[in-house]
Amino acid sequence: MGIVRDRGRYYWVKRVPKRFAGLVVGKDGKPVTQVRQALHTDSKVEAQAKAAQVEVARMAEWEALAMGDSGSARAHFDMAQRLAQVRGFQYQTLSTLLEAPMDEVLERVKDVQKPKVEGKPIENPAVIKAVLGAVPNVLPNLSGVLNEYFDLTTTRHLRKSEAQKHRWVLSKRRAVENFLAATFPKHSPPIDQITRADALRFRTWWSNRIEVDGLAAQTANKEFGHLAEIWGTWAELTGNDLPNPFSKLALDGEKRDQRPSFSRDWVKDRLLDPKAFATLNSEARDILLIMINTGLRPSEISDAPVEDFCIQENIPHLKIAPNGRELKVAHTRRDIPLLGVSLEAARRIVARGGIQKYARKASGWSALVNKYLSNNGLKETPKHTAYSLRHYVEDALLAAGVDDRVRADILGHKYHRPIYGDGGGLLGRRNALEKIAL
């Protein structure tokens, strides 16, 4: 970029970058290699400021032209939207502009009639079409909608850890891929060509999988929910008034069996046998032992920094806070007392400098420990998993007569009655856990 002075006035001058060669044309419609634009000032300082603004606008315009050079109808429409925005207008199709106030239409006409390059009063045809809405609206296919959906919802997931975000993205991509594989295996049409009948075909596809492969209905219903959410959010935030074909697709079916709870005798006699975890690495073992007297989720332990293991306090406890990840829901933020084998495990973790091997890797911990339980005869039934310890704590608290408000505070569950006070706070939770601690 540069500015030149000619007869006392300044002009912005730029050589057209090679990647835009052939796209930027002059008065005669032929490509140009250099552009020049009057800055309408004799002040060098003002000219430099204006030149920077012109540079940004022209580069955005050329980038948009390049994007539309792909031959794709969708790319040309995207280009038109960006070119209109560069000129300060929201893109509107010609049919919409014909119903707009005359002042707005005249403003657009005057804009494209302005000489933008000294000596070249005729605008690039692509710019004229963009400002005057002459490029037909071509909607993206479902994969394109998904990518735009991710861009539109970035602020929803700022608190997610990388692992959480990966799982969130993966579930949405899987739903879209399954839908396209089941209904449009050879091509992916624009979304305005996706109908309710297509969504119902996908529902039938899932019904067959459930019947043949023994999958759970809730797995299908999650995918229907993902697709409905993607479509609805995208349509609302982009101003496309399209009926959502994925609404109300849910399949009836039994819910997946809840993980069974370990019995107290099994925990005391089998899981706390000194030889039970002799060959399991110490960090994995200590995370499991903390679960035994707290009912914490594995990730709530593995993702906690060492400073959240408050073992020197009057009531030793573990703080459950976001710590670089998104908590499941707000009420899961809490302080949980540490007693018995759980306190001993926490002390060892602190002595080692905190969780290291499984930090942000709760899924890896679960895979390892569940395999260990299976290989070493430590599963009370084939359906038991390490997560069953959470259910064990909940059942043990209930059997001990602990108030439901305190149980909810310990386990991080939503409390469905009006909340008064703090439910006894940390002391109340310690008193409750003392009744079941091993």
Side-chain angles (χ1 to χ4, degrees), residues 73-75 77-78 135-140 190 192:
R74 174 62 186 176
F77 179 69
D78 289 342
V135 180
N137 186 355
V138 179
L139 294 175
D192 56 335

Side-chain angles (χ1 to χ4, degrees), residues 53 67 107 117-118 168 249 257 329 352:
Q53 295 175 347
M67 179 175 64
E107 184 180 358
V117 180
E118 189 73 0
W168 180 82
L249 287 179
D257 292 341
V329 280
R352 290 193 295 266

Side-chain angles (χ1 to χ4, degrees), residues 135-412:
V135 180
N137 186 355
V138 179
L139 294 175
N141 60 21
L142 192 57
S143 296
V145 166
L146 178 64
N147 291 331
E148 292 182 21
Y149 167 82
F150 288 147
D151 291 337
L152 292 167
T153 58
T154 52
T155 56
R156 292 185 188 178
H157 314 291
L158 296 178
R159 295 183 180 180
K160 279 184 169 65
S161 67
E162 286 303 311
Q164 287 177 317
K165 187 174 182 180
H166 174 74
R167 290 193 297 271
W168 180 82
V169 168
L170 188 63
S171 63
K172 305 294 187 296
R173 288 202 184 281
R174 185 182 296 117
V176 169
E177 289 169 1
N178 281 341
F179 171 76
L180 293 176
T183 55
F184 297 101
K186 295 183 179 180
H187 74 288
S188 181
I191 61 165
D192 56 335
Q193 295 180 25
I194 295 176
T195 66
R196 178 67 172 179
D198 297 322
L200 291 174
R201 279 199 292 143
F202 186 50
R203 186 179 188 274
T204 300
W205 179 83
W206 259 113
S207 296
N208 292 335
R209 289 193 67 189
I210 290 168
E211 183 177 354
V212 174
D213 300 332
L215 300 176
Q218 67 178 8
T219 303
N221 291 339
K222 283 181 180 179
E223 292 210 343
F224 301 152
H226 290 323
L227 291 168
E229 210 283 320
I230 291 165
W231 183 294
T233 298
W234 177 87
E236 182 177 353
L237 296 182
T238 58
N240 286 282
D241 187 17
L242 294 171
N244 194 329
F246 300 108
S247 62
K248 299 180 180 179
L249 287 179
L251 291 165
D252 295 327
E254 296 182 2
K255 291 185 178 180
R256 183 184 298 172
D257 292 341
Q258 180 176 323
R259 294 182 184 91
S261 167
F262 282 114
S263 67
R264 187 171 179 82
D265 286 343
W266 188 273
V267 174
K268 183 173 61 174
D269 298 335
R270 298 296 300 275
L271 300 187
L272 291 182
D273 184 317
K275 298 178 182 178
F277 296 101
T279 58
L280 183 66
N281 74 76
S282 57
E283 186 173 285
R285 181 187 66 242
D286 285 339
I287 291 173
L288 185 79
L289 291 173
I290 288 179
M291 290 181 67
I292 285 177
N293 286 332
T294 64
L296 288 169
R297 300 176 179 89
S299 62
E300 292 175 328
I301 304 168
S302 65
D303 292 357
V306 66
E307 57 267 23
D308 283 358
F309 288 83
C310 305
I311 60 174
Q312 301 298 331
E313 300 292 328
N314 291 333
I315 300 179
H317 62 279
L318 177 60
K319 289 183 176 295
I320 307 304
N323 294 321
R325 68 186 181 96
E326 185 178 59
L327 292 178
K328 191 171 183 180
V329 280
H331 51 260
T332 58
R333 182 192 288 266
R334 62 205 190 281
D335 295 342
I336 301 300
L338 296 166
L339 302 97
V341 297
S342 297
L343 177 56
E344 294 171 7
R347 285 174 175 154
R348 289 191 293 270
I349 287 172
V350 171
R352 290 193 295 266
I355 300 292
Q356 298 174 32
K357 185 178 179 67
Y358 298 103
R360 305 282 188 273
K361 297 178 181 177
S363 59
W365 176 90
S366 294
L368 173 73
V369 172
N370 286 328
K371 183 177 180 180
Y372 187 94
L373 293 175
S374 181
N375 291 344
N376 291 274
L378 295 173
K379 298 177 72 170
E380 194 165 358
T381 72
K383 291 185 178 181
H384 276 75
T385 68
Y387 204 88
S388 297
L389 282 171
R390 184 165 162 79
H391 298 286
Y392 153 72
V393 170
E394 183 171 18
D395 288 352
L397 290 171
L398 180 62
V402 175
D403 179 79
D404 57 353
R405 161 71 190 280
V406 178
R407 295 202 311 273
D409 287 346
I410 291 172
L411 293 160

